[in-house]
Amino acid sequence: MPIVVRIDVELAKRKMSVGEFAERVGITPANVAVLKNGRAKAIRFSTLEAMCEVLECQPGDLIEWVEE
């Protein structure tokens, strides 16, 4: 999949757990795992906005397109 989700990198930079992140964003830890493992088919802009707000980053810090 050419779209890569880099949540784990941003969480590591901030020493934040998946559980804390999920709670603050308002999604389940299972959904965070789906995003991290590249199994998500879509993401709502409201969720992306909440993720960026919690991590104080830009959408491009979380999502990257990589050529196959």
Side-chain angles (χ1 to χ4, degrees), residues 1-2 7 10-11 13 17-19 22-23 28 35 40 43 48 50 57 61-62 64-65:
M1 175 191 262
I7 295 173
E10 297 302 318
L11 289 177
K13 284 181 187 176
S17 71
V18 169
E23 184 177 324
T28 65
L35 287 167
I43 184 169
L48 182 59
C57 67
D61 298 329
L62 298 175
E64 179 184 7
W65 179 80

Side-chain angles (χ1 to χ4, degrees), residues 3 23 33 49-50 54 59 64:
I3 300 292
E23 184 177 324
E49 180 181 359
V54 167
E64 179 184 7

Side-chain angles (χ1 to χ4, degrees), residues 13-35:
K13 284 181 187 176
R14 290 155 182 80
K15 296 184 171 91
M16 185 182 295
S17 71
V18 169
E20 179 187 353
F21 176 69
E23 184 177 324
R24 290 178 62 187
V25 171
I27 60 177
T28 65
N31 282 338
V32 175
V34 168
L35 287 167

